[in-house]
Amino acid sequence: MDGATHSDNVRRTDASPPRPPGPTRRAPAAPGRTAADDRRHDGAYAPDREVPLGGYAALTTGFATGVGLFALGLRKSGRRLPERVPPWDLLVLGTAVYKASRLVSKSKVAGFVRAPFTRRTADLSAGEVMDEPQGHGPRRAVGDLLACPFCLSVWISGALVCSYAVAPRPTRLVASGLTAVALSDWLQYAWTFTQDRVEG
């Protein structure tokens, strides 16, 4: 009798109890992440990857706040905005935004700016590198920004436009310098292409 009872107890102990109906249990958080991180980043928007929406919201709020404070200060100072931006200035400013965003996000020399938020994954041509964001939450959001020239162009454009509104001459000079660097890059590529064609 005792043996039968002991055997029954062993079988009941070894057998896995049936799971009640309902949602499946969440897997443990990945190393370096907490359950709160998982709850913050999952959902219908991006169920298969971490998307730091809170960090993005903070960055967007910071950008909008900066522009708003600039506009408020400009109004209190009595300065008038330019009635128009000449096409040549627009072309120079656009080229400067393009070049500055690539210098910050892709150049080897600017790696010290990105290092706290990204890690290098590949070396590209013309002194450029490929970085990817690291970390979680706000740190990852900043890494996404610094590794993306298209994302950075909005911030750099905002800075140049604000500067152009209050100091057009020095802003035009700085933008012209960045435009000259961009033109130099294209000439370097053209020279390399021509050299390869002649020697090949």
Side-chain angles (χ1 to χ4, degrees), residues 4-84:
T5 303
H6 176 72
S7 177
D8 291 341
N9 289 338
V10 170
R11 283 196 295 269
R12 282 195 295 268
T13 302
D14 293 342
S16 299
R19 291 187 177 179
T24 57
R25 186 179 302 173
R26 183 182 302 277
R33 296 177 60 185
T34 64
D37 290 327
D38 289 337
R39 287 193 299 271
R40 190 181 306 119
H41 300 301
D42 64 4
Y45 181 72
D48 60 339
R49 69 189 66 187
E50 177 182 350
V51 179
L53 295 178
Y56 293 164
L59 288 173
T60 304
T61 301
F63 179 85
T65 301
V67 173
L69 290 175
F70 171 82
L72 183 62
L74 190 67
R75 183 175 181 179
K76 287 187 175 182
S77 69
R79 290 176 177 268
R80 298 182 59 184
L81 291 173
E83 294 184 1
R84 64 185 183 90

XYZ file of all heavy atoms in Angstrom, residues 4-84:
603
model
N 2.521 1.586 -3.346
C 1.632 2.142 -4.366
C 1.434 3.634 -4.158
O 1.420 4.420 -5.091
C 0.275 1.406 -4.314
N 1.302 4.025 -2.891
C 1.117 5.453 -2.621
C 2.339 6.256 -3.008
O 2.255 7.322 -3.613
C 0.832 5.658 -1.123
O -0.306 4.884 -0.763
C 0.571 7.130 -0.815
N 3.539 5.721 -2.681
C 4.792 6.407 -3.051
C 4.917 6.525 -4.557
O 5.318 7.559 -5.084
C 5.977 5.640 -2.462
C 7.300 6.218 -2.861
N 7.767 7.421 -2.358
C 8.252 5.755 -3.715
C 8.939 7.684 -2.880
N 9.253 6.682 -3.710
N 4.566 5.452 -5.282
C 4.667 5.479 -6.742
C 3.723 6.509 -7.328
O 4.064 7.234 -8.253
C 4.356 4.083 -7.300
O 4.379 4.108 -8.704
N 2.501 6.566 -6.771
C 1.542 7.553 -7.264
C 2.044 8.973 -7.026
O 1.905 9.849 -7.869
C 0.180 7.361 -6.583
C -0.489 6.064 -7.031
O -0.085 5.537 -8.101
O -1.401 5.618 -6.328
N 2.658 9.177 -5.857
C 3.194 10.508 -5.553
C 4.294 10.897 -6.515
O 4.400 12.047 -6.940
C 3.721 10.554 -4.110
C 2.589 10.523 -3.106
O 1.457 10.881 -3.449
N 2.881 10.101 -1.878
N 5.175 9.924 -6.875
C 6.256 10.203 -7.816
C 5.689 10.588 -9.160
O 6.130 11.527 -9.814
C 7.202 8.988 -7.925
C 8.178 9.189 -9.067
C 7.943 8.794 -6.610
N 4.659 9.825 -9.626
C 4.084 10.129 -10.925
C 3.419 11.508 -10.921
O 3.526 12.258 -11.865
C 3.072 9.047 -11.296
C 3.712 7.745 -11.788
C 2.689 6.905 -12.497
N 1.633 6.467 -11.587
C 1.694 5.305 -10.914
N 2.764 4.527 -11.017
N 0.713 4.964 -10.106
N 2.741 11.837 -9.834
C 2.098 13.137 -9.770
C 3.132 14.267 -9.701
O 2.923 15.338 -10.221
C 1.184 13.191 -8.545
C -0.152 12.458 -8.759
C -1.136 12.860 -7.664
N -0.683 12.414 -6.340
C -1.032 11.241 -5.809
N -1.795 10.397 -6.488
N -0.606 10.898 -4.602
N 4.265 13.976 -9.054
C 5.305 15.003 -8.960
C 5.990 15.218 -10.292
O 6.271 16.342 -10.709
C 6.355 14.615 -7.907
O 5.682 14.433 -6.662
C 7.423 15.683 -7.759
N 6.283 14.119 -11.026
C 7.005 14.228 -12.284
C 6.130 14.766 -13.399
O 6.617 15.418 -14.319
C 7.571 12.856 -12.693
C 8.659 12.400 -11.725
O 9.186 13.270 -10.985
O 8.970 11.211 -11.726
N 4.880 14.460 -13.368
C 4.019 14.890 -14.470
C 3.820 16.392 -14.404
O 3.636 16.966 -13.339
C 2.666 14.178 -14.382
N 3.864 17.030 -15.580
C 3.659 18.475 -15.631
C 2.179 18.767 -15.549
O 1.390 18.157 -16.287
C 4.222 19.047 -16.946
O 5.606 18.800 -17.018
N 1.756 19.634 -14.677
C 0.328 19.943 -14.574
C -0.160 20.629 -15.833
O 0.588 21.359 -16.483
C 0.271 20.889 -13.369
C 1.623 21.491 -13.292
C 2.576 20.443 -13.777
N -1.370 20.372 -16.232
C -1.891 21.019 -17.441
C -1.955 22.524 -17.258
O -2.272 23.016 -16.179
C -3.285 20.412 -17.597
C -3.655 19.962 -16.208
C -2.369 19.530 -15.573
N -1.628 23.287 -18.348
C -1.653 24.747 -18.278
C -3.079 25.243 -18.417
O -3.836 24.752 -19.266
C -0.803 25.345 -19.403
C 0.680 25.104 -19.214
C 1.453 25.850 -20.260
N 2.888 25.702 -20.065
C 3.797 26.240 -20.855
N 3.420 26.961 -21.887
N 5.076 26.068 -20.615
N -3.451 26.171 -17.621
C -4.797 26.725 -17.756
C -4.905 27.512 -19.050
O -3.908 28.022 -19.567
C -4.925 27.653 -16.530
C -3.525 28.023 -16.201
C -2.684 26.822 -16.550
N -6.102 27.585 -19.617
C -6.257 28.373 -20.852
C -5.977 29.834 -20.590
O -6.228 30.356 -19.504
C -7.736 28.149 -21.219
C -8.400 27.778 -19.913
C -7.360 27.004 -19.139
N -5.470 30.511 -21.622
C -5.174 31.931 -21.465
C -3.897 32.276 -22.198
O -3.310 31.439 -22.902
N -3.386 33.493 -22.079
C -2.163 33.914 -22.783
C -0.948 33.157 -22.298
O -0.871 32.744 -21.147
C -2.053 35.417 -22.433
C -2.827 35.564 -21.164
C -3.945 34.553 -21.246
N -0.021 32.944 -23.204
C 1.200 32.230 -22.862
C 2.078 33.085 -21.977
O 2.011 34.320 -22.004
C 1.973 31.867 -24.142
O 2.237 33.062 -24.863
C 1.154 30.916 -25.006
N 2.928 32.407 -21.194
C 3.816 33.115 -20.276
C 4.931 33.780 -21.049
O 5.496 33.216 -21.977
C 4.396 32.111 -19.276
C 5.235 32.753 -18.182
C 5.753 31.696 -17.228
N 4.638 30.954 -16.637
C 4.811 29.884 -15.876
N 6.036 29.426 -15.646
N 3.772 29.257 -15.375
N 5.294 35.010 -20.650
C 6.357 35.749 -21.319
C 7.720 35.143 -21.016
O 7.999 34.745 -19.897
C 6.345 37.215 -20.855
C 7.382 38.091 -21.564
C 7.336 39.500 -21.009
N 6.021 40.056 -21.164
C 5.578 40.615 -22.277
N 6.356 40.659 -23.338
N 4.356 41.115 -22.336
N 8.572 35.061 -22.037
C 9.928 34.547 -21.844
C 10.719 35.504 -20.981
O 10.430 36.708 -20.929
C 10.615 34.371 -23.197
N 11.755 35.011 -20.269
C 12.562 35.904 -19.433
C 13.205 36.997 -20.262
O 13.458 36.836 -21.456
C 13.614 34.950 -18.835
C 13.049 33.581 -18.987
C 12.175 33.613 -20.202
N 13.476 38.107 -19.628
C 14.109 39.219 -20.331
C 15.505 38.827 -20.779
O 16.189 38.038 -20.145
C 14.181 40.449 -19.401
N 15.921 39.397 -21.918
C 17.251 39.124 -22.445
C 18.300 39.678 -21.501
O 18.023 40.603 -20.723
C 17.393 39.765 -23.825
N 19.539 39.131 -21.551
C 20.598 39.651 -20.678
C 20.803 41.143 -20.888
O 20.838 41.615 -22.011
C 21.834 38.846 -21.121
C 21.268 37.600 -21.722
C 19.968 37.991 -22.347
N 20.938 41.863 -19.803
C 21.136 43.299 -19.894
C 19.852 44.096 -19.987
O 19.866 45.315 -20.019
N 18.707 43.395 -20.046
C 17.426 44.069 -20.122
C 16.553 43.625 -18.963
O 16.718 42.536 -18.438
C 16.724 43.755 -21.447
C 17.435 44.260 -22.677
C 16.711 43.850 -23.925
N 15.355 44.388 -23.951
C 14.482 44.085 -24.905
N 14.813 43.234 -25.850
N 13.273 44.609 -24.888
N 15.631 44.444 -18.581
C 14.713 44.115 -17.510
C 13.334 43.839 -18.090
O 13.074 44.129 -19.265
C 14.622 45.280 -16.515
O 14.056 46.419 -17.194
C 15.996 45.650 -15.972
N 12.483 43.266 -17.256
C 11.121 43.014 -17.705
C 10.424 44.318 -18.066
O 9.588 44.370 -18.970
C 10.348 42.272 -16.618
N 10.777 45.397 -17.352
C 10.181 46.698 -17.669
C 10.557 47.150 -19.072
O 9.754 47.740 -19.788
C 10.630 47.746 -16.642
N 11.822 46.868 -19.489
C 12.235 47.207 -20.848
C 11.377 46.469 -21.865
O 10.953 47.029 -22.879
C 13.717 46.852 -21.076
C 14.640 47.764 -20.295
O 14.284 48.936 -20.121
O 15.697 47.290 -19.850
N 11.146 45.164 -21.622
C 10.348 44.389 -22.552
C 8.926 44.929 -22.643
O 8.355 45.032 -23.713
C 10.311 42.911 -22.123
C 11.651 42.229 -22.329
O 12.414 42.735 -23.167
O 11.916 41.226 -21.659
N 8.342 45.275 -21.505
C 6.980 45.794 -21.526
C 6.911 47.129 -22.239
O 5.925 47.465 -22.863
C 6.460 45.951 -20.088
C 6.141 44.627 -19.407
C 5.346 44.882 -18.137
N 6.076 45.678 -17.170
C 6.873 45.171 -16.242
N 7.071 43.855 -16.169
N 7.495 45.957 -15.383
N 8.013 47.902 -22.146
C 8.014 49.224 -22.748
C 8.116 49.148 -24.267
O 7.648 50.030 -24.965
C 9.194 50.029 -22.186
C 9.164 51.510 -22.559
C 10.355 52.238 -21.997
N 10.487 52.057 -20.568
C 11.534 51.488 -19.991
N 12.530 51.038 -20.709
N 11.590 51.347 -18.683
N 8.776 48.118 -24.813
C 9.092 48.114 -26.232
C 8.270 47.131 -27.051
O 8.343 47.148 -28.261
C 10.580 47.802 -26.437
C 11.487 48.792 -25.773
N 11.471 50.122 -26.067
C 12.415 48.633 -24.790
C 12.361 50.746 -25.324
N 12.939 49.880 -24.539
N 7.511 46.230 -26.411
C 6.769 45.297 -27.238
C 5.404 45.868 -27.554
O 5.044 46.955 -27.145
C 6.667 43.929 -26.557
C 5.878 43.995 -25.247
O 5.342 45.070 -24.906
O 5.809 42.979 -24.569
N 4.623 45.108 -28.312
C 3.304 45.578 -28.692
C 3.118 45.484 -30.185
O 3.927 44.914 -30.913
N 2.031 46.045 -30.648
C 1.673 45.922 -32.057
C 2.608 46.719 -32.962
O 2.729 46.410 -34.137
C 0.237 46.388 -32.258
N 3.259 47.782 -32.446
C 4.079 48.621 -33.322
C 5.301 47.881 -33.839
O 5.598 47.919 -35.032
C 4.510 49.886 -32.581
C 5.341 50.812 -33.436
C 4.758 51.538 -34.460
C 6.713 50.947 -33.228
C 5.505 52.375 -35.264
C 7.469 51.787 -34.018
C 6.860 52.499 -35.033
O 7.614 53.318 -35.820
N 6.052 47.226 -32.982
C 7.261 46.500 -33.387
C 7.439 45.304 -32.464
O 8.271 45.335 -31.560
C 8.485 47.413 -33.347
N 6.678 44.230 -32.663
C 6.747 43.100 -31.734
C 8.043 42.299 -31.805
O 8.366 41.564 -30.883
C 5.550 42.235 -32.159
C 5.310 42.600 -33.590
C 5.667 44.048 -33.708
N 8.802 42.454 -32.904
C 9.989 41.621 -33.074
C 11.294 42.373 -32.877
O 12.359 41.841 -33.147
C 9.983 40.992 -34.476
C 9.978 42.046 -35.579
O 9.583 43.193 -35.298
O 10.364 41.718 -36.720
N 11.245 43.627 -32.431
C 12.481 44.390 -32.240
C 12.255 45.476 -31.198
O 11.116 45.835 -30.900
C 12.936 45.008 -33.559
C 12.030 46.124 -34.074
C 12.397 46.537 -35.461
N 12.149 45.448 -36.394
C 12.508 45.475 -37.673
N 13.158 46.504 -38.153
N 12.239 44.459 -38.475
N 13.354 45.986 -30.686
C 13.264 47.059 -29.696
C 13.195 48.401 -30.403
O 14.065 48.740 -31.198
C 14.471 47.039 -28.760
C 14.465 48.171 -27.755
C 15.685 48.167 -26.864
O 16.425 47.181 -26.911
O 15.892 49.152 -26.142
N 12.164 49.146 -30.133
C 12.005 50.486 -30.686
C 11.806 51.452 -29.515
O 10.766 51.429 -28.864
C 10.805 50.570 -31.642
C 10.651 51.986 -32.182
C 10.972 49.587 -32.795
N 12.800 52.279 -29.225
C 12.708 53.165 -28.046
C 11.807 54.361 -28.303
O 12.262 55.495 -28.473
C 14.168 53.584 -27.827
C 14.780 53.533 -29.186
C 14.102 52.393 -29.903
N 10.505 54.118 -28.330
C 9.561 55.186 -28.642
C 9.646 56.328 -27.624
O 9.501 57.499 -27.993
C 8.144 54.622 -28.683
C 7.865 53.606 -29.804
C 6.436 53.098 -29.706
C 8.112 54.230 -31.168
N 9.877 55.985 -26.352
C 10.016 57.039 -25.355
C 11.215 57.930 -25.630
O 11.141 59.157 -25.489
N 12.343 57.320 -26.045
C 13.520 58.108 -26.392
C 13.287 58.969 -27.610
O 13.718 60.136 -27.663
N 12.594 58.416 -28.624
C 12.260 59.208 -29.805
C 11.387 60.404 -29.423
O 11.578 61.516 -29.928
C 11.522 58.350 -30.829
C 12.340 57.252 -31.466
C 11.716 56.214 -32.151
C 13.725 57.254 -31.398
C 12.447 55.203 -32.740
C 14.471 56.247 -31.978
C 13.824 55.213 -32.650
O 14.557 54.205 -33.242
N 10.405 60.146 -28.553
C 9.521 61.228 -28.130
C 10.302 62.316 -27.398
O 10.042 63.513 -27.583
C 8.405 60.673 -27.240
N 11.273 61.905 -26.559
C 12.076 62.885 -25.833
C 12.925 63.721 -26.795
O 13.043 64.945 -26.646
C 12.967 62.175 -24.816
N 13.523 63.068 -27.798
C 14.325 63.802 -28.774
C 13.462 64.771 -29.572
O 13.852 65.924 -29.803
C 15.011 62.823 -29.725
C 16.171 62.007 -29.146
C 16.642 60.959 -30.150
C 17.332 62.913 -28.763
N 12.299 64.320 -30.005
C 11.407 65.189 -30.762
C 10.939 66.362 -29.925
O 10.868 67.509 -30.404
C 10.188 64.392 -31.264
O 10.639 63.271 -32.032
C 9.283 65.244 -32.121
N 10.640 66.102 -28.651
C 10.232 67.176 -27.752
C 11.362 68.185 -27.564
O 11.133 69.402 -27.553
C 9.809 66.604 -26.389
O 8.726 65.687 -26.578
C 9.372 67.707 -25.445
N 12.595 67.680 -27.424
C 13.732 68.583 -27.293
C 13.927 69.448 -28.524
O 14.200 70.654 -28.409
N 13.774 68.845 -29.704
C 13.920 69.604 -30.949
C 12.836 70.676 -31.047
O 13.121 71.851 -31.331
C 13.831 68.657 -32.137
C 13.952 69.338 -33.473
C 15.197 69.598 -34.017
C 12.823 69.706 -34.189
C 15.320 70.227 -35.256
C 12.929 70.335 -35.413
C 14.180 70.597 -35.947
N 11.591 70.292 -30.796
C 10.487 71.243 -30.893
C 10.631 72.355 -29.850
O 10.343 73.534 -30.128
C 9.156 70.520 -30.710
N 11.087 72.002 -28.646
C 11.281 73.007 -27.605
C 12.362 74.006 -28.000
O 12.213 75.218 -27.804
C 11.644 72.332 -26.275
O 10.599 71.425 -25.895
C 11.848 73.362 -25.176
N 13.460 73.490 -28.574
C 14.526 74.381 -29.005
C 14.065 75.352 -30.079
O 14.369 76.561 -30.021
N 13.324 74.851 -31.056
C 12.815 75.731 -32.118
C 11.833 76.745 -31.551
O 11.849 77.933 -31.915
C 12.149 74.889 -33.227
C 11.460 75.787 -34.252
C 13.190 74.018 -33.925
N 10.979 76.291 -30.623
C 10.017 77.208 -30.024
C 10.687 78.309 -29.214
O 10.293 79.483 -29.299
N 11.708 77.945 -28.431
C 12.428 78.953 -27.649
C 13.156 79.934 -28.559
O 13.218 81.142 -28.272
C 13.419 78.264 -26.706
C 12.804 77.478 -25.544
C 13.894 76.747 -24.763
C 12.024 78.410 -24.621
N 13.706 79.424 -29.662
C 14.365 80.320 -30.615
C 13.367 81.307 -31.203
O 13.639 82.514 -31.290
C 15.028 79.514 -31.721
C 15.543 80.359 -32.853
C 16.764 80.990 -32.748
C 14.791 80.533 -34.008
C 17.243 81.797 -33.774
C 15.258 81.331 -35.039
C 16.480 81.965 -34.926
N 12.204 80.805 -31.615
C 11.192 81.686 -32.198
C 10.717 82.727 -31.191
O 10.520 83.906 -31.525
C 10.012 80.856 -32.706
N 10.556 82.304 -29.925
C 10.136 83.240 -28.887
C 11.192 84.317 -28.645
O 10.883 85.511 -28.535
C 9.851 82.470 -27.595
C 9.337 83.289 -26.407
C 8.002 83.940 -26.745
C 9.206 82.402 -25.177
N 12.456 83.880 -28.570
C 13.529 84.853 -28.381
C 13.657 85.802 -29.557
O 13.929 87.003 -29.377
N 13.460 85.271 -30.774
C 13.550 86.118 -31.962
C 12.443 87.169 -31.951
O 12.670 88.336 -32.288
C 13.452 85.245 -33.211
C 13.750 85.921 -34.547
C 15.228 86.314 -34.619
C 13.404 84.992 -35.702
N 11.257 86.776 -31.516
C 10.148 87.722 -31.472
C 10.372 88.799 -30.425
O 10.091 89.990 -30.665
C 8.853 86.962 -31.181
C 7.621 87.841 -31.172
C 6.379 87.021 -30.992
N 5.186 87.850 -30.994
C 3.951 87.400 -30.881
N 3.754 86.079 -30.756
N 2.925 88.219 -30.886
N 10.891 88.406 -29.264
C 11.130 89.387 -28.205
C 12.256 90.345 -28.572
O 12.284 91.492 -28.108
C 11.462 88.667 -26.904
C 10.255 88.004 -26.253
C 10.614 87.449 -24.890
C 9.385 86.893 -24.179
N 9.704 86.383 -22.825
N 13.195 89.894 -29.395
C 14.311 90.752 -29.779
C 13.911 91.793 -30.827
O 14.659 92.753 -31.062
C 15.461 89.907 -30.324
O 15.113 89.323 -31.573
N 12.767 91.607 -31.448
C 12.321 92.558 -32.459
C 12.911 92.312 -33.830
O 12.661 93.098 -34.763
N 13.674 91.257 -33.984
C 14.244 90.947 -35.297
C 13.145 90.488 -36.256
O 12.170 89.861 -35.845
C 15.303 89.853 -35.193
C 16.582 90.271 -34.497
C 17.510 89.077 -34.375
N 18.771 89.410 -33.775
C 19.864 89.764 -34.448
N 19.829 89.826 -35.767
N 20.989 90.052 -33.809
N 13.345 90.779 -37.521
C 12.396 90.339 -38.544
C 12.999 89.184 -39.343
O 14.192 89.195 -39.667
C 12.055 91.492 -39.489
C 11.388 92.669 -38.806
C 11.033 93.740 -39.808
N 10.136 93.236 -40.842
C 9.725 93.948 -41.886
N 10.173 95.198 -42.048
N 8.895 93.428 -42.769
N 12.172 88.215 -39.623
C 12.634 87.090 -40.427
C 12.860 87.528 -41.869
O 12.196 88.462 -42.351
C 11.601 85.960 -40.399
C 11.425 85.232 -39.067
C 10.247 84.270 -39.152
C 12.688 84.478 -38.701
N 13.790 86.881 -42.565
C 13.962 87.192 -43.993
C 12.665 86.942 -44.754
O 11.952 85.973 -44.488
C 15.073 86.224 -44.431
C 15.760 85.816 -43.175
C 14.733 85.844 -42.106
N 12.338 87.826 -45.672
C 11.120 87.663 -46.454
C 11.202 86.442 -47.375
O 10.190 85.808 -47.671
C 10.847 88.922 -47.275
C 10.515 90.148 -46.415
C 10.163 91.350 -47.261
O 10.157 91.212 -48.515
O 9.895 92.411 -46.688
N 12.395 86.122 -47.814
C 12.571 84.952 -48.677
C 14.018 84.485 -48.584
O 14.895 85.227 -48.130
C 12.227 85.283 -50.135
C 13.144 86.306 -50.774
C 12.690 86.683 -52.165
N 13.623 87.626 -52.784
C 14.683 87.251 -53.513
N 14.933 85.958 -53.701
N 15.498 88.141 -54.036
